[in-house]
Amino acid sequence: MTFRKTKLLPLLLLAGCALAPMSAAAQHERTDWPALTAAYAPDAAMEARIARIVAGMTLAQKVGQMTQPDVRYITPEEVTQYYIGSVLNGGGAWPAMNKHATVAEWAALSDRYHDAALAADMAAKIPLIWGTDAVHGHNNVSGATLFPHNIGLGAAHDPELIERIGRATARQVRATGITWVFAPTLAVGENRRWGRTYESYSSDPQQVAEYGEALVRGLQGDLTGDGDVVATAKHYMGDGGTFNGQDQGEARASRSEMINRHGAGYYSTIEAGVQTVMASYSSWNDVAAGHDYGKMHGSREMLTDVLKDRLGFDGLVVSDWNGIEQVPGCTKAECAQAINAGIDMIMVPEDWKAFIGNTIADVEAGRIPMSRIDDAVTRILRVKMRSGLFDHAPSESRYNGQASAVAATDLAREAVRKSVVLLKNNDRALPLVQGEKILVVGDSADSLSNQTGGWSLTWQGTENVNADFATGSTLLAALKAQLGAENVVYSRDAVGVDLTQFAKVVVVLGETPYAEYHGDVRFPAPVQYSHLRPNDLALLHAVSGKGVPVVSVLYSGRPAYANDLINLSDAFVAAFLPGTEGAGLADVLSGGRYDFTGRLSFAWPGSACSTGEHAGDVVQFARGFGLSYARPATTGELPLPTTPGACDAAD
Ligand code: GLC
């Protein structure tokens, strides 16, 4: 039986939930791509110096400069031999492939790559730039404090907090000798099926624009300080708007929607001076207008005509991980179309040697004009010069090699407090009261993995145990610390436990970590939390309705339909993916000094086939909803529309 999207008006709970006011941007729809003024104007002396360097480079040196391998697949010696301009560490790549590599070992590897680049036989030496996904703190590094993922930060509605997180993240990254961060993600998440929903700040483009600007300012500072890094506006453009939320799929937005929704974050970050843009795997097909722009990685119209010529972006465009192979006719190791379209630096993690040979051949055969190569190298050198790499080695930073620099506990704890949302709190089930005895249940209660989600030590955030993080506190540990270990009893599944011995039961529900397409809920499957995690529903049934108030806490990367869980709970907290500092969550659960201030930055669905905020979607909690102790409200029984085996109305 399939479930037809009814044309019900969105069901909005009365208590304290008003649809977020239309953002300022939405009130003034743009009719064209804006001509922007980037924060860093070209510097004549710098441009002349760059031109001299480019003029003295061989083709092999230029193509090497445009090549970005992963550190697992290139040695410092090969960086020297092939004139490599950049490296990255993808999720799950660590020095010597040691997950527990120390900050000093990260910094030492950076020094080796830096020295290797300067040892290349070139008329003018060009320093290497190392890029990393520090997307919620320096998440590749064991011992680094990890912040809430973007979906939770969006609920904080606090751009100033985001800027402070950017500063702290930049410091963490500079401690390891790295000077380029692949953040912020500027996706305006539209469909809850998308596995990267949690990397989006909000479904409101205006909030994404404000947050993106704040993070760029936090990360980049003035670009040349020893606590500054280069930021990345990603993934350009429309990654969060694909049909059915399919990761790397096709956005079918109109030109106006692309300009006004998905472009919003790029305007604010380009004007804030972001120096790099990462192309999106996704494609854009303006079906209504019959205009198919194709894969972003191969779209000259979007990468050059719009981004560089119209928006005025003069930094570098980097491809995504093997992103060029998705361009029709291309492979991991060759794509003249992508380079001609406007990709300046090619993230070719493994097949970099073949890529260099193929690209040199493409230029020599006239498939790529030398002028395009020169422009790409010019942009790369411009970013390196603006960020001070020609003047100071990455190691010339007070933070370099300093383990203390990757700690940011207090800031992360504050971010957690502000990023969690109280969706229900009947009969003052919350706050937890000092001296009361509570039972804590659920696999996620003592799991830093489920607390931190994807992009945590490994790409998927899996294959980790609590000790791997070498820092942080699970919610269980934090509750014991705050309420007294004698007042907090843990049982994974509450089997054989006499609930009447306890004042309350705290049920910690959670997705297990995922990243990118691994997290997609493919159409036509329903997007219902208890379908994705049936054990959690069984656990709630085991403890609910036994005369003891049930407080549910949900770790999730997306707002998934959960009325069945909420009805079984007396209080319900959407905690999203809070990161390593579970103490921040305990702070608000135990009341005391802190109240809930979080408000949803995405509408929360009221049925299993409602995947967004489009006409016809059933909304249970509107964007902007959030309860607090100061503004209590009683939540009635939520409707339980039948969940089908398969949804029928595509996007
Ligand atoms: C990934 C992601 C991108 C990330 C890059 C490098 O596939 O799409 O966000 O920056 O590869 O890890």
Side-chain angles (χ1 to χ4, degrees):
M1 194 267 264
T2 59
F3 176 79
R4 177 168 300 285
K5 265 187 183 176
T6 55
K7 294 300 176 194
L8 288 177
L9 286 177
L11 292 176
L12 299 180
L13 272 186
L14 299 180
C17 68
L19 263 175
M22 179 185 284
S23 62
Q27 290 159 2
H28 307 291
E29 295 277 297
R30 297 177 190 275
T31 56
D32 201 351
W33 303 103
L36 306 172
T37 306
Y40 296 92
D43 172 285
M46 180 186 291
E47 295 302 314
R49 185 182 175 194
I50 291 169
R52 286 194 300 274
I53 293 172
V54 173
M57 293 171 74
T58 66
L59 178 56
Q61 291 167 354
K62 292 175 182 176
V63 174
Q65 193 59 218
M66 295 168 63
T67 304
Q68 184 187 55
D70 177 275
V71 294
R72 281 166 282 202
Y73 308 112
I74 188 165
T75 64
E77 293 70 26
E78 289 169 319
V79 163
T80 303
Q81 184 181 353
Y82 288 89
Y83 314 106
I84 299 296
S86 178
V87 296
L88 86 147
N89 60 290
W94 314 283
M97 281 311 284
N98 171 12
K99 183 192 287 190
H100 303 106
T102 64
V103 166
E105 286 166 338
W106 281 90
L109 181 58
S110 170
D111 289 347
R112 290 183 57 211
Y113 279 120
H114 174 76
D115 295 343
L118 297 186
D121 175 19
M122 297 175 74
K125 304 297 185 184
I126 301 175
L128 170 139
I129 188 167
W130 178 340
T132 192
D133 292 286
V135 295
H136 62 132
H138 200 354
N139 39 259
N140 297 284
V141 176
S142 176
T145 302
L146 303 192
F147 295 97
H149 271 293
N150 291 348
I151 188 171
L153 295 177
H157 294 276
D158 186 345
E160 187 273 337
L161 171 70
I162 301 306
E163 184 163 352
R164 285 188 284 135
I165 289 174
R167 286 316 294 156
T169 302
R171 190 173 55 236
Q172 292 180 320
V173 170
R174 289 303 302 267
T176 58
I178 299 173
T179 64
W180 182 13
V181 167
F182 301 138
T185 293
L186 300 171
V188 181
E190 279 192 350
N191 191 308
R192 311 296 178 259
R193 293 179 177 282
W194 191 34
R196 304 190 78 165
T197 294
Y198 68 80
E199 295 185 65
S200 173
Y201 290 119
S202 176
S203 59
D204 175 0
Q206 186 55 37
Q207 182 176 16
V208 170
E210 287 167 352
Y211 266 38
E213 177 182 352
L215 194 75
V216 165
R217 295 193 189 287
L219 287 172
Q220 294 195 163
D222 68 10
L223 269 179
T224 58
D226 68 345
D228 299 341
V229 294
V230 170
T232 306
K234 77 179 187 180
H235 311 80
Y236 178 91
M237 183 186 282
D239 51 346
T242 57
F243 185 65
N244 276 335
Q246 182 177 338
D247 190 39
Q248 307 185 9
E250 180 179 82
R252 297 182 180 176
S254 68
R255 186 169 182 275
S256 175
E257 284 163 346
M258 194 58 86
I259 290 173
N260 290 290
R261 281 185 65 77
H262 304 292
Y266 294 90
Y267 315 146
S268 62
T269 51
I270 288 171
E271 293 207 316
V274 71
Q275 288 299 295
T276 75
V277 167
M278 185 181 292
S280 178
Y281 286 116
S282 57
S283 54
W284 178 23
N285 182 3
D286 182 351
V287 177
H291 186 162
D292 188 353
Y293 297 76
K295 279 286 180 181
M296 280 295 152
H297 274 73
S299 173
R300 180 185 171 80
E301 190 167 359
M302 287 303 290
L303 292 176
T304 296
D305 301 347
V306 171
L307 178 60
K308 295 178 177 180
D309 295 349
R310 175 70 181 175
L311 301 183
F313 177 68
D314 72 353
L316 72 85
V317 178
V318 63
S319 60
D320 202 335
W321 184 279
N322 287 325
I324 61 173
E325 71 172 336
Q326 295 193 22
V327 177
C330 290
T331 68
K332 289 189 178 85
E334 181 175 14
C335 193
Q337 183 185 340
I339 294 170
N340 288 334
I343 301 281
D344 302 305
M345 181 177 284
I346 296 83
M347 189 185 293
V348 52
E350 221 169 329
D351 305 84
W352 55 270
K353 228 176 260 180
F355 168 78
I356 290 173
N358 293 333
T359 303
I360 288 172
D362 280 338
V363 176
E364 289 171 342
R367 289 186 289 270
I368 302 174
M370 182 64 83
S371 59
R372 176 72 269 275
I373 297 292
D374 288 350
D375 174 53
V377 176
T378 294
R379 288 170 176 270
I380 293 168
L381 297 189
R382 185 180 293 143
V383 172
K384 291 182 175 182
M385 270 188 202
R386 278 178 177 165
S387 60
L389 269 179
F390 274 79
D391 304 317
H392 301 289
S395 58
E396 292 178 55
S397 163
R398 80 195 84 162
Y399 306 111
N400 192 63
Q402 300 302 308
S404 60
V406 298
T409 303
D410 292 345
L411 176 58
R413 185 168 176 172
E414 173 192 351
V416 174
R417 287 194 294 267
K418 293 179 173 178
S419 67
V420 296
V421 182
L422 183 59
L423 297 182
K424 178 180 181 181
N425 188 27
N426 286 0
D427 307 321
R428 291 187 59 76
L430 281 174
L432 305 175
V433 177
Q434 288 291 347
E436 281 184 343
K437 197 167 180 187
I438 65 167
L439 175 68
V440 178
V441 300
D443 294 337
S444 295
D446 198 31
S447 167
L448 283 175
S449 272
N450 291 4
Q451 228 170 264
T452 53
W455 297 104
S456 301
L457 298 180
T458 62
W459 176 41
Q460 293 295 313
T462 51
E463 301 167 48
N464 298 316
V465 296
N466 287 348
D468 288 325
F469 290 84
T471 188
S473 62
T474 63
L475 177 56
L476 177 64
L479 288 172
K480 287 184 174 178
Q482 293 200 20
L483 302 176
E486 69 283 2
N487 294 319
V488 180
V489 173
Y490 177 61
S491 164
R492 201 170 143 265
D493 53 18
V495 171
V497 176
D498 176 3
L499 299 183
T500 62
Q501 299 302 305
F502 300 95
K504 287 167 189 163
V505 182
V506 177
V507 185
V508 189
L509 313 165
E511 293 178 332
T512 48
Y514 54 78
E516 302 193 49
Y517 48 84
H518 289 259
D520 281 4
V521 178
R522 284 292 173 99
F523 179 82
V527 188
Q528 174 161 356
Y529 183 78
S530 53
H531 275 221
L532 304 172
R533 294 277 303 171
N535 293 345
D536 282 349
L537 177 61
L539 178 60
L540 258 180
H541 276 301
V543 299
S544 178
K546 305 295 191 295
V548 180
V550 171
V551 174
S552 293
V553 175
L554 173 61
Y555 295 150
S556 69
R558 73 182 96 235
Y561 171 64
N563 284 7
D564 49 351
L565 305 178
I566 297 169
N567 284 345
L568 290 167
S569 309
D570 298 284
F572 196 94
V573 177
F576 299 109
L577 297 170
T580 53
E581 304 313 311
L585 187 46
D587 286 341
V588 284
L589 291 178
S590 54
R593 288 175 52 199
Y594 300 104
D595 194 353
F596 286 89
T597 57
R599 289 177 286 108
L600 295 175
S601 61
F602 291 84
W604 195 283
S607 74
C609 294
S610 294
T611 57
E613 299 160 34
H614 311 97
D617 278 326
V618 178
V619 169
Q620 188 60 60
F621 302 106
R623 189 171 73 211
F625 180 84
L627 299 179
S628 67
Y629 299 137
R631 289 185 299 110
T634 297
T635 305
E637 190 75 2
L638 301 183
L640 294 172
T642 306
T643 296
C647 300
D648 76 340
D651 217 343

